[in-house]
Amino acid sequence: MADVTVHQCQCPSCQSGQDHPDRRWHDRINLVMSRLDEQQRRWLAALESQKAGYGGDSLLALVTGLHVDAIRRGREELDAGLHDRPTDRVRKPGAGRPPGKKKTQPSSTT
Ligand SMILES: [Zn+2]
């Protein structure tokens, strides 16, 4: 498998290059994010945003590179109990129905 690129946090504290208490947290978020699919990223960002409190959405947008709207949507989906979200993994594109043999019933007209 190819290298998974981990998003670099764009928050001012991390960008300044200094060590700060949240740096590890931001790194961890992006590390986990790199292994998630799109909807799971939204949910994680939404969760972390709530943890961050006021301004969480904009902070998490900087940290994760997701759009604030995506984070907001993730929170709405969580609030709704992930109701209309499928529990199974997102299907890989092209993993459709296997090319089956067409059943051709001999017409039994007598
Ligand atoms: Zn950061």
XYZ file of all heavy atoms in Angstrom:
860
model
N 0.839 -1.198 0.000
C 0.000 0.000 0.000
C 0.873 1.246 0.000
O 1.927 1.290 0.612
C -0.883 -0.015 1.252
C -2.178 0.766 1.070
S -3.260 0.510 2.483
C -4.064 2.110 2.530
N 0.413 2.241 -0.692
C 1.177 3.479 -0.797
C 1.205 4.220 0.534
O 0.402 3.973 1.417
C 0.565 4.367 -1.861
N 2.148 5.095 0.643
C 2.240 5.910 1.854
C 0.964 6.712 2.059
O 0.430 7.262 1.119
C 3.405 6.900 1.733
C 4.726 6.204 1.996
O 4.711 5.111 2.592
O 5.759 6.757 1.599
N 0.558 6.734 3.297
C -0.597 7.568 3.605
C -0.064 8.911 4.070
O 0.717 8.990 5.002
C -1.454 6.932 4.719
C -2.698 7.761 4.959
C -1.825 5.523 4.356
N -0.454 9.947 3.380
C 0.025 11.263 3.783
C -0.800 11.769 4.948
O -2.013 11.775 4.908
C -0.059 12.267 2.626
O -1.301 12.092 1.971
C 1.072 12.062 1.649
N -0.103 12.164 5.974
C -0.777 12.700 7.147
C -0.815 14.213 7.008
O 0.206 14.850 6.757
C -0.037 12.286 8.437
C -0.727 12.884 9.662
C 0.011 10.776 8.555
N -1.995 14.745 7.166
C -2.163 16.191 7.028
C -1.379 16.915 8.123
O -1.361 16.504 9.271
C -3.646 16.523 7.129
C -3.936 17.984 7.018
N -4.005 18.642 5.813
C -4.165 18.926 7.957
C -4.268 19.911 6.020
N -4.376 20.122 7.311
N -0.719 18.002 7.713
C -0.007 18.806 8.690
C -0.930 19.875 9.237
O -1.599 20.571 8.487
C 1.212 19.473 8.031
C 2.294 18.484 7.643
C 2.841 17.721 8.848
O 3.292 18.319 9.804
N 2.757 16.394 8.805
N -0.944 19.991 10.536
C -1.814 20.963 11.178
C -1.462 22.384 10.735
O -0.295 22.744 10.652
C -1.694 20.844 12.690
S -2.674 22.073 13.550
N -2.505 23.159 10.466
C -2.305 24.530 9.996
C -2.649 25.564 11.070
O -2.797 26.744 10.772
C -3.189 24.791 8.764
C -2.901 23.861 7.603
C -1.501 24.020 7.057
O -1.038 25.129 6.823
N -0.808 22.914 6.867
N -2.812 25.113 12.302
C -3.161 26.086 13.332
C -1.942 26.962 13.637
O -0.800 26.534 13.453
C -3.673 25.384 14.595
S -2.402 24.870 15.752
N -2.168 28.197 14.063
C -1.057 29.138 14.272
C 0.011 28.591 15.218
O 1.202 28.801 14.985
C -1.733 30.376 14.871
C -3.167 30.264 14.491
C -3.465 28.810 14.363
N -0.401 27.899 16.254
C 0.568 27.389 17.219
C 1.497 26.368 16.594
O 2.717 26.413 16.785
C -0.146 26.766 18.416
O -1.142 27.613 18.902
N 0.930 25.435 15.833
C 1.772 24.426 15.195
C 2.612 25.058 14.090
O 3.758 24.672 13.878
C 0.921 23.304 14.624
S 0.167 22.246 15.867
N 2.029 26.025 13.383
C 2.737 26.675 12.286
C 3.945 27.457 12.774
O 4.923 27.615 12.064
C 1.795 27.610 11.529
C 0.814 26.880 10.629
C 1.496 26.196 9.469
O 2.044 26.841 8.595
N 1.475 24.878 9.459
N 3.853 27.953 14.001
C 4.956 28.743 14.529
C 6.175 27.867 14.811
O 7.270 28.374 15.007
C 4.529 29.447 15.813
O 4.435 28.512 16.864
N 5.945 26.553 14.816
C 7.065 25.648 14.983
C 7.463 25.408 16.430
O 8.309 24.571 16.702
N 6.845 26.128 17.345
C 7.206 25.909 18.739
C 6.421 24.730 19.297
O 5.390 24.360 18.775
C 6.889 27.124 19.614
C 7.058 28.429 18.948
C 6.388 29.557 19.755
O 5.719 29.327 20.748
N 6.587 30.768 19.285
N 6.931 24.224 20.376
C 6.247 23.158 21.055
C 5.115 23.779 21.856
O 5.297 24.794 22.508
C 7.218 22.449 22.002
C 7.006 20.959 21.934
O 6.300 20.511 21.007
O 7.529 20.247 22.808
N 3.944 23.170 21.758
C 2.839 23.673 22.581
C 2.003 22.485 23.019
O 2.061 21.430 22.406
C 2.024 24.724 21.823
C 1.290 24.180 20.636
N -0.019 23.800 20.674
C 1.714 23.933 19.370
C -0.384 23.357 19.485
N 0.646 23.425 18.685
N 1.225 22.660 24.067
C 0.547 21.515 24.685
C -0.363 20.751 23.733
O -0.537 19.548 23.891
C -0.289 22.137 25.816
C 0.137 23.540 25.962
C 0.988 23.913 24.800
N -0.944 21.449 22.767
C -1.920 20.786 21.902
C -1.302 20.144 20.679
O -1.979 19.484 19.913
C -2.979 21.792 21.443
C -3.872 22.200 22.597
O -3.940 21.449 23.586
O -4.478 23.279 22.501
N -0.015 20.322 20.523
C 0.628 19.840 19.303
C 0.450 18.329 19.128
O 0.110 17.842 18.057
C 2.107 20.171 19.362
C 2.778 19.764 18.095
C 4.216 20.205 18.021
N 4.554 20.277 16.625
C 5.089 21.308 16.022
N 5.416 22.356 16.711
N 5.327 21.290 14.741
N 0.663 17.601 20.196
C 0.535 16.165 20.149
C -0.892 15.765 19.808
O -1.128 14.837 19.028
C 0.922 15.591 21.521
C 1.314 14.158 21.469
C 1.809 13.743 22.845
N 1.709 12.305 22.989
C 2.541 11.442 22.450
N 3.551 11.867 21.743
N 2.387 10.150 22.631
N -1.822 16.502 20.401
C -3.230 16.243 20.148
C -3.530 16.444 18.665
O -4.131 15.600 18.018
C -4.070 17.192 21.020
C -5.543 17.150 20.791
C -6.291 16.032 20.537
C -6.454 18.259 20.771
N -7.608 16.390 20.375
C -7.731 17.736 20.514
C -6.295 19.635 20.963
C -8.855 18.557 20.433
C -7.411 20.442 20.884
C -8.680 19.905 20.629
N -3.064 17.557 18.099
C -3.311 17.845 16.692
C -2.672 16.797 15.791
O -3.271 16.365 14.814
C -2.776 19.245 16.339
C -3.493 20.352 17.070
N -3.115 21.674 16.971
C -4.545 20.319 17.913
C -3.936 22.412 17.718
N -4.795 21.617 18.306
N -1.456 16.417 16.137
C -0.773 15.390 15.348
C -1.545 14.078 15.369
O -1.690 13.407 14.356
C 0.637 15.146 15.900
C 1.582 16.270 15.507
O 1.217 17.086 14.639
O 2.683 16.335 16.082
N -2.021 13.755 16.557
C -2.750 12.496 16.713
C -4.025 12.492 15.886
O -4.370 11.499 15.264
C -3.106 12.273 18.199
C -1.980 11.724 19.021
C -1.782 10.267 18.680
N -0.452 9.826 19.015
C -0.121 9.261 20.174
N -1.025 9.095 21.100
N 1.102 8.877 20.399
N -4.727 13.602 15.932
C -5.968 13.708 15.165
C -5.681 13.439 13.696
O -6.342 12.627 13.056
C -6.601 15.111 15.321
C -7.093 15.322 16.749
C -7.767 15.280 14.346
C -7.552 16.749 17.029
N -4.653 14.087 13.179
C -4.344 13.924 11.763
C -3.848 12.526 11.443
O -4.104 12.009 10.357
C -3.321 14.980 11.333
C -3.986 16.328 11.113
O -5.079 16.390 10.568
N -3.346 17.389 11.560
N -3.168 11.930 12.393
C -2.711 10.565 12.190
C -3.900 9.618 12.057
O -3.972 8.807 11.144
C -1.822 10.141 13.372
C -1.228 8.746 13.274
C -0.267 8.639 12.111
C -0.536 8.377 14.576
N -4.834 9.758 12.985
C -6.025 8.911 12.932
C -6.829 9.199 11.672
O -7.284 8.289 10.980
C -6.901 9.121 14.187
C -8.210 8.357 14.079
C -6.142 8.680 15.434
N -6.940 10.473 11.351
C -7.698 10.888 10.171
C -7.184 10.238 8.899
O -7.958 9.947 7.990
C -7.600 12.405 10.002
C -8.369 13.183 11.025
S -9.940 13.711 10.355
C -10.617 14.546 11.766
N -5.874 10.038 8.851
C -5.287 9.510 7.628
C -5.744 8.080 7.348
O -5.555 7.565 6.264
C -3.762 9.570 7.706
O -3.283 8.643 8.648
N -6.301 7.454 8.364
C -6.766 6.076 8.181
C -8.270 5.960 8.090
O -8.806 4.862 8.055
C -6.294 5.189 9.357
C -4.843 5.243 9.616
C -4.072 4.667 8.441
N -2.693 5.128 8.455
C -1.692 4.449 8.981
N -1.906 3.302 9.516
N -0.485 4.933 8.954
N -8.942 7.077 8.113
C -10.401 7.033 8.103
C -10.946 7.418 6.733
O -10.262 8.052 5.945
C -10.963 8.000 9.153
C -10.531 7.766 10.600
C -11.143 8.816 11.496
C -10.906 6.379 11.075
N -12.177 7.035 6.509
C -12.797 7.507 5.275
C -13.453 8.864 5.536
O -13.413 9.378 6.648
C -13.773 6.464 4.691
C -14.972 6.215 5.596
O -15.424 7.171 6.243
O -15.437 5.072 5.648
N -14.035 9.407 4.503
C -14.476 10.785 4.572
C -15.492 11.044 5.680
O -15.381 12.009 6.430
C -15.070 11.161 3.223
C -15.032 12.646 2.968
C -15.687 12.974 1.642
O -15.317 12.338 0.640
O -16.563 13.842 1.629
N -16.484 10.174 5.795
C -17.508 10.447 6.795
C -16.962 10.254 8.205
O -17.318 11.007 9.118
C -18.744 9.574 6.553
C -18.506 8.085 6.599
C -19.816 7.311 6.448
O -20.865 7.898 6.225
N -19.752 5.994 6.575
N -16.075 9.289 8.369
C -15.494 9.079 9.691
C -14.638 10.264 10.106
O -14.570 10.625 11.280
C -14.662 7.793 9.699
C -15.520 6.566 9.545
C -14.717 5.324 9.184
O -13.626 5.411 8.658
N -15.266 4.164 9.484
N -13.981 10.882 9.142
C -13.192 12.081 9.433
C -14.082 13.194 9.946
O -13.731 13.906 10.883
C -12.497 12.566 8.172
C -11.309 11.740 7.836
C -10.604 12.343 6.662
N -9.745 11.326 6.081
C -9.426 11.248 4.804
N -9.864 12.136 3.972
N -8.663 10.286 4.385
N -15.212 13.349 9.291
C -16.169 14.369 9.720
C -16.565 14.171 11.165
O -16.637 15.111 11.944
C -17.460 14.224 8.894
C -17.487 14.867 7.580
C -18.901 15.223 7.203
N -19.821 14.098 7.107
C -19.975 13.342 6.024
N -19.261 13.566 4.967
N -20.853 12.366 6.005
N -16.849 12.927 11.516
C -17.338 12.646 12.866
C -16.256 12.884 13.893
O -16.516 13.423 14.968
C -17.853 11.209 12.964
C -18.968 10.923 12.017
C -19.854 11.850 11.515
C -19.320 9.679 11.425
N -20.718 11.234 10.659
C -20.434 9.920 10.578
C -18.815 8.385 11.521
C -21.036 8.888 9.848
C -19.411 7.367 10.807
C -20.508 7.624 9.969
N -15.070 12.461 13.566
C -13.968 12.678 14.499
C -13.729 14.174 14.692
O -13.586 14.648 15.818
C -12.697 11.987 13.994
C -11.470 12.177 14.889
C -11.694 11.588 16.266
C -10.243 11.544 14.258
N -13.727 14.902 13.601
C -13.523 16.346 13.695
C -14.640 16.987 14.510
O -14.399 17.887 15.320
C -13.477 16.961 12.297
N -15.862 16.510 14.321
C -16.993 17.050 15.066
C -16.826 16.785 16.560
O -17.071 17.660 17.388
C -18.293 16.433 14.555
N -16.384 15.587 16.888
C -16.168 15.230 18.290
C -15.089 16.104 18.914
O -15.263 16.647 20.006
C -15.716 13.766 18.384
C -16.770 12.684 18.498
C -16.084 11.335 18.540
C -17.611 12.883 19.732
N -13.988 16.218 18.212
C -12.868 16.990 18.741
C -13.230 18.468 18.817
O -12.764 19.180 19.693
C -11.633 16.792 17.864
C -11.115 15.363 17.853
C -10.632 14.903 19.222
O -10.297 15.750 20.058
O -10.598 13.692 19.456
N -14.069 18.896 17.900
C -14.503 20.287 17.910
C -15.308 20.591 19.165
O -15.146 21.642 19.790
C -15.343 20.560 16.665
O -16.056 21.768 16.818
N -16.163 19.651 19.536
C -16.962 19.844 20.745
C -16.080 19.878 21.977
O -16.304 20.628 22.914
C -17.996 18.728 20.867
C -19.184 18.949 19.955
C -20.261 17.907 20.147
O -19.984 16.716 20.167
N -21.499 18.341 20.277
N -15.052 19.054 21.943
C -14.117 19.011 23.049
C -13.379 20.345 23.165
O -13.106 20.831 24.253
C -13.116 17.873 22.802
C -12.475 17.360 24.051
C -11.916 15.969 23.818
C -10.521 16.054 23.228
N -9.982 14.717 22.892
N -13.067 20.913 22.015
C -12.320 22.172 22.005
C -13.177 23.335 22.485
O -12.648 24.347 22.936
C -11.799 22.444 20.600
N -14.494 23.177 22.381
C -15.382 24.225 22.859
C -15.539 25.360 21.870
O -15.545 25.138 20.656
N -15.611 26.578 22.396
C -15.875 27.744 21.538
C -14.824 27.869 20.444
O -13.622 27.791 20.707
C -15.905 29.010 22.397
C -16.207 30.247 21.577
C -17.515 30.526 21.185
C -15.190 31.106 21.179
C -17.805 31.639 20.424
C -15.466 32.221 20.418
C -16.771 32.489 20.043
O -17.043 33.589 19.288
N -15.284 28.062 19.232
C -14.360 28.203 18.113
C -13.790 26.875 17.647
O -12.859 26.846 16.846
N -14.348 25.794 18.149
C -13.823 24.471 17.839
C -13.851 24.140 16.358
O -12.920 23.547 15.836
N -14.930 24.570 15.699
C -15.051 24.243 14.283
C -13.931 24.860 13.460
O -13.318 24.198 12.626
C -16.405 24.715 13.734
C -17.534 23.791 14.160
O -17.275 22.877 14.963
O -18.667 23.990 13.702
N -13.655 26.141 13.721
C -12.589 26.789 12.937
C -11.232 26.210 13.305
O -10.367 26.046 12.452
C -12.578 28.304 13.151
O -13.606 28.730 13.967
N -11.056 25.887 14.584
C -9.790 25.284 14.991
C -9.595 23.933 14.302
O -8.556 23.680 13.701
C -9.750 25.093 16.516
C -8.536 24.325 17.038
C -7.250 25.113 16.824
C -8.690 23.980 18.512
N -10.636 23.111 14.362
C -10.516 21.783 13.765
C -10.381 21.851 12.247
O -9.760 20.995 11.637
C -11.721 20.922 14.158
C -11.491 20.019 15.370
C -10.472 18.925 15.083
C -11.050 20.780 16.605
N -10.947 22.894 11.656
C -10.777 23.081 10.216
C -9.306 23.321 9.913
O -8.765 22.799 8.939
C -11.636 24.242 9.724
N -8.654 24.097 10.773
C -7.227 24.361 10.589
C -6.407 23.097 10.840
O -5.473 22.785 10.108
C -6.765 25.444 11.576
C -7.105 26.889 11.213
C -6.730 27.806 12.362
C -6.390 27.303 9.944
N -6.771 22.399 11.876
C -6.002 21.207 12.240
C -6.131 20.118 11.181
O -5.140 19.536 10.747
C -6.466 20.661 13.617
C -5.764 19.351 13.939
C -6.215 21.681 14.718
N -7.371 19.875 10.746
C -7.610 18.717 9.893
C -7.642 19.033 8.408
O -7.509 18.130 7.595
C -8.971 18.083 10.236
O -10.008 19.034 9.966
C -9.034 17.706 11.704
N -7.863 20.305 8.075
C -7.979 20.654 6.671
C -9.365 20.405 6.122
O -9.608 20.596 4.940
N -10.271 19.979 7.004
C -11.656 19.819 6.569
C -12.334 21.181 6.548
O -11.909 22.101 7.238
C -12.429 18.915 7.541
C -12.079 17.432 7.590
C -12.911 16.755 8.656
C -12.337 16.782 6.251
N -13.381 21.291 5.787
C -14.128 22.532 5.753
C -15.015 22.626 6.989
O -15.490 21.607 7.481
C -14.991 22.554 4.489
C -15.442 23.941 4.120
N -16.546 24.528 4.684
C -14.913 24.854 3.281
C -16.688 25.746 4.180
N -15.707 25.965 3.333
N -15.214 23.845 7.490
C -16.067 23.998 8.677
C -17.458 23.422 8.436
O -18.073 22.883 9.361
C -16.206 25.476 9.136
C -15.035 25.889 9.997
C -16.393 26.405 7.974
N -17.934 23.542 7.210
C -19.253 22.997 6.903
C -19.286 21.486 7.062
O -20.278 20.911 7.495
C -19.659 23.358 5.468
C -20.010 24.835 5.333
O -20.191 25.488 6.389
O -20.084 25.325 4.206
N -18.189 20.856 6.697
C -18.105 19.401 6.826
C -18.137 19.007 8.300
O -18.777 18.029 8.683
C -16.833 18.885 6.165
N -17.446 19.797 9.116
C -17.416 19.507 10.547
C -18.803 19.715 11.149
O -19.268 18.903 11.950
C -16.368 20.392 11.251
C -14.979 20.106 10.664
C -16.371 20.146 12.754
C -13.907 21.065 11.137
N -19.445 20.799 10.731
C -20.800 21.059 11.225
C -21.736 19.931 10.831
O -22.545 19.469 11.622
C -21.302 22.383 10.652
C -22.497 22.930 11.413
C -22.957 24.254 10.830
N -21.857 25.202 10.716
C -21.614 25.947 9.633
N -22.377 25.835 8.567
N -20.616 26.792 9.611
N -21.570 19.474 9.611
C -22.418 18.394 9.135
C -22.160 17.121 9.936
O -23.076 16.387 10.283
C -22.126 18.137 7.654
C -23.154 17.245 7.017
C -22.938 17.210 5.526
N -23.168 15.866 5.028
C -22.569 15.361 3.963
N -21.710 16.088 3.300
N -22.832 14.150 3.567
N -20.895 16.883 10.246
C -20.550 15.730 11.055
C -21.235 15.783 12.402
O -21.712 14.768 12.910
N -21.280 16.977 12.979
C -21.917 17.118 14.285
C -23.420 16.868 14.176
O -24.001 16.224 15.039
C -21.658 18.506 14.860
C -22.165 18.631 16.287
C -21.624 19.849 16.999
N -21.764 21.051 16.206
C -20.717 21.728 15.713
N -19.499 21.331 15.951
N -20.914 22.798 14.999
N -24.009 17.356 13.099
C -25.442 17.120 12.908
C -25.734 15.632 12.765
O -26.720 15.131 13.293
C -25.939 17.868 11.662
C -26.109 19.360 11.915
C -26.247 20.168 10.631
O -26.343 19.560 9.536
O -26.240 21.405 10.726
N -24.840 14.963 12.062
C -25.043 13.525 11.878
C -24.893 12.789 13.200
O -25.629 11.847 13.495
C -24.039 12.987 10.854
C -24.385 13.399 9.445
C -23.275 13.115 8.445
O -22.148 12.814 8.875
O -23.530 13.199 7.247
N -23.952 13.229 14.015
C -23.781 12.618 15.332
C -24.998 12.900 16.208
O -25.476 12.021 16.924
C -22.517 13.165 16.008
C -21.186 12.633 15.498
C -20.049 13.355 16.178
C -21.059 11.142 15.725
N -25.471 14.144 16.144
C -26.648 14.512 16.919
C -27.846 13.653 16.546
O -28.678 13.330 17.376
C -27.004 15.995 16.702
C -26.016 16.913 17.418
O -25.257 16.408 18.272
O -26.001 18.120 17.121
N -27.904 13.314 15.282
C -29.018 12.507 14.794
C -28.776 11.024 15.046
O -29.533 10.180 14.578
C -29.238 12.763 13.310
N -27.724 10.701 15.780
C -27.434 9.307 16.094
C -26.980 8.518 14.888
O -27.131 7.304 14.840
N -26.412 9.209 13.922
C -25.945 8.584 12.677
C -27.058 7.760 12.044
O -26.820 6.679 11.514
C -24.697 7.705 12.943
C -23.520 8.403 13.583
C -22.359 7.426 13.705
C -23.078 9.632 12.811
N -28.237 8.312 12.152
C -29.433 7.578 11.755
C -29.415 7.060 10.327
O -29.665 5.890 10.082
C -30.646 8.476 11.961
C -31.683 7.799 12.783
N -31.365 7.131 13.947
C -33.020 7.685 12.629
C -32.479 6.634 14.461
N -33.490 6.952 13.695
N -29.149 7.965 9.407
C -29.205 7.520 8.016
C -27.833 7.201 7.460
O -27.583 7.275 6.276
C -29.906 8.566 7.132
C -29.329 9.951 7.361
O -28.370 10.063 8.150
O -29.828 10.917 6.762
N -26.920 6.870 8.395
C -25.576 6.483 7.956
C -25.470 4.970 8.015
O -25.797 4.366 9.023
C -24.523 7.087 8.889
C -24.451 8.578 8.847
C -23.677 9.035 7.635
N -24.533 9.693 6.679
C -24.221 9.855 5.398
N -23.111 9.392 4.936
N -25.035 10.452 4.596
N -24.991 4.365 6.966
C -24.868 2.907 6.978
C -23.816 2.445 7.982
O -22.825 3.136 8.212
C -24.449 2.563 5.550
C -23.849 3.810 5.021
C -24.529 4.950 5.718
N -24.069 1.309 8.594
C -23.115 0.813 9.581
C -21.972 0.056 8.930
O -20.914 -0.092 9.515
C -23.811 -0.135 10.571
O -24.557 -1.086 9.842
C -24.718 0.627 11.499
N -22.185 -0.433 7.729
C -21.096 -1.152 7.077
C -20.190 -0.160 6.363
O -20.535 0.984 6.160
C -21.637 -2.197 6.098
C -22.617 -1.583 5.126
O -23.095 -0.472 5.407
O -22.896 -2.194 4.104
N -19.038 -0.651 6.027
C -18.044 0.217 5.401
C -18.532 0.702 4.047
O -19.341 0.069 3.397
C -16.731 -0.552 5.224
C -16.205 -1.050 6.529
C -14.751 -1.424 6.397
N -13.963 -0.539 7.225
C -13.071 0.301 6.746
N -12.846 0.362 5.466
N -12.399 1.064 7.543
N -17.967 1.837 3.698
C -18.323 2.398 2.414
C -17.806 1.467 1.320
O -16.667 1.018 1.358
C -17.698 3.792 2.248
C -18.083 4.387 0.907
C -18.136 4.702 3.377
N -18.666 1.185 0.404
C -18.297 0.271 -0.665
C -17.224 0.855 -1.554
O -17.262 2.032 -1.884
C -19.512 -0.010 -1.523
C -20.191 -1.276 -1.160
C -21.148 -1.587 -2.265
N -21.949 -2.746 -1.896
C -22.302 -3.654 -2.803
N -21.931 -3.527 -4.042
N -23.027 -4.679 -2.444
N -16.310 0.017 -1.918
C -15.295 0.480 -2.853
C -15.939 0.685 -4.202
O -16.775 -0.111 -4.612
C -14.192 -0.573 -2.979
C -13.258 -0.556 -1.811
C -12.102 -1.495 -2.106
C -11.354 -1.795 -0.830
N -11.026 -3.197 -0.702
N -15.517 1.736 -4.879
C -16.101 1.958 -6.205
C -15.777 0.805 -7.129
O -14.657 0.296 -7.143
C -15.436 3.255 -6.677
C -14.268 3.456 -5.794
C -14.573 2.771 -4.502
N -16.762 0.373 -7.838
C -16.534 -0.711 -8.784
C -16.779 -2.081 -8.193
O -16.721 -3.078 -8.878
N -17.013 -2.112 -6.863
C -17.268 -3.394 -6.224
C -18.755 -3.708 -6.301
O -19.418 -3.892 -5.304
C -16.796 -3.372 -4.784
N -19.230 -3.721 -7.446
C -20.651 -3.954 -7.640
C -20.979 -5.433 -7.648
O -20.266 -6.243 -7.076
N -22.019 -5.728 -8.309
C -22.482 -7.090 -8.418
C -21.555 -7.867 -9.356
O -21.154 -7.356 -10.387
C -23.888 -6.960 -9.008
C -24.671 -8.191 -9.119
C -25.919 -7.845 -9.889
N -26.865 -7.106 -9.043
C -28.168 -7.147 -9.267
N -28.647 -7.798 -10.284
N -28.983 -6.483 -8.485
N -21.166 -9.046 -8.955
C -20.285 -9.822 -9.839
C -21.005 -10.177 -11.129
O -22.217 -10.376 -11.121
C -19.983 -11.085 -9.031
C -21.095 -11.175 -8.043
C -21.538 -9.774 -7.763
N -20.242 -10.231 -12.212
C -20.891 -10.530 -13.493
C -21.427 -11.954 -13.494
O -20.688 -12.919 -13.702
C -19.773 -10.334 -14.519
C -18.505 -10.452 -13.735
C -18.813 -10.036 -12.327
N -22.676 -12.079 -13.187
C -23.277 -13.403 -13.089
C -23.761 -13.901 -14.433
O -23.927 -13.120 -15.372
N -23.925 -15.180 -14.459
C -24.455 -15.740 -15.702
C -25.941 -15.434 -15.772
O -26.637 -15.509 -14.767
C -24.248 -17.246 -15.717
C -22.816 -17.630 -15.994
C -22.670 -19.142 -15.952
C -21.328 -19.507 -15.343
N -21.399 -20.791 -14.636
N -26.325 -15.080 -16.895
C -27.735 -14.772 -17.053
C -28.508 -16.084 -17.113
O -28.167 -16.989 -17.872
C -27.944 -13.978 -18.346
C -29.067 -12.969 -18.215
C -29.138 -12.136 -19.486
C -30.054 -10.947 -19.294
N -30.122 -10.161 -20.537
N -29.472 -16.136 -16.237
C -30.275 -17.359 -16.230
C -31.283 -17.295 -17.358
O -32.196 -16.480 -17.342
C -31.001 -17.490 -14.888
C -30.285 -18.402 -13.909
C -31.200 -18.685 -12.735
C -30.408 -19.171 -11.540
N -31.199 -19.129 -10.326
N -31.063 -18.104 -18.296
C -32.044 -18.122 -19.375
C -32.895 -19.393 -19.247
O -32.409 -20.502 -19.429
C -31.377 -18.083 -20.762
O -30.163 -18.819 -20.684
C -31.071 -16.651 -21.178
N -34.064 -19.137 -18.810
C -34.965 -20.261 -18.630
C -35.496 -20.692 -19.998
O -35.996 -19.866 -20.754
C -36.145 -19.845 -17.754
C -35.718 -19.504 -16.344
C -36.213 -20.542 -15.353
O -37.122 -21.316 -15.673
N -35.616 -20.583 -14.191
N -35.320 -21.928 -20.280
C -35.924 -22.398 -21.533
C -37.437 -22.275 -21.443
O -38.055 -22.734 -20.483
C -35.484 -23.871 -21.621
C -35.120 -24.252 -20.231
C -34.700 -22.988 -19.522
N -37.961 -21.602 -22.392
C -39.409 -21.401 -22.342
C -40.129 -22.735 -22.510
O -39.951 -23.440 -23.493
C -39.849 -20.428 -23.441
O -39.277 -20.823 -24.666
N -40.811 -23.057 -21.457
C -41.460 -24.358 -21.465
C -42.912 -24.245 -21.942
O -43.837 -24.408 -21.173
C -41.412 -24.992 -20.068
O -41.903 -24.072 -19.130
N -42.967 -23.891 -23.150
C -44.321 -23.812 -23.701
C -44.613 -25.087 -24.477
O -43.860 -25.449 -25.375
C -44.498 -22.587 -24.620
O -43.285 -22.387 -25.315
C -44.876 -21.350 -23.840
N -45.599 -25.722 -24.045
C -45.910 -26.971 -24.715
C -47.131 -26.912 -25.631
O -47.934 -26.071 -25.568
C -46.143 -28.129 -23.692
O -46.399 -27.564 -22.432
C -44.986 -29.033 -23.650
Zn -2.036 22.575 15.621
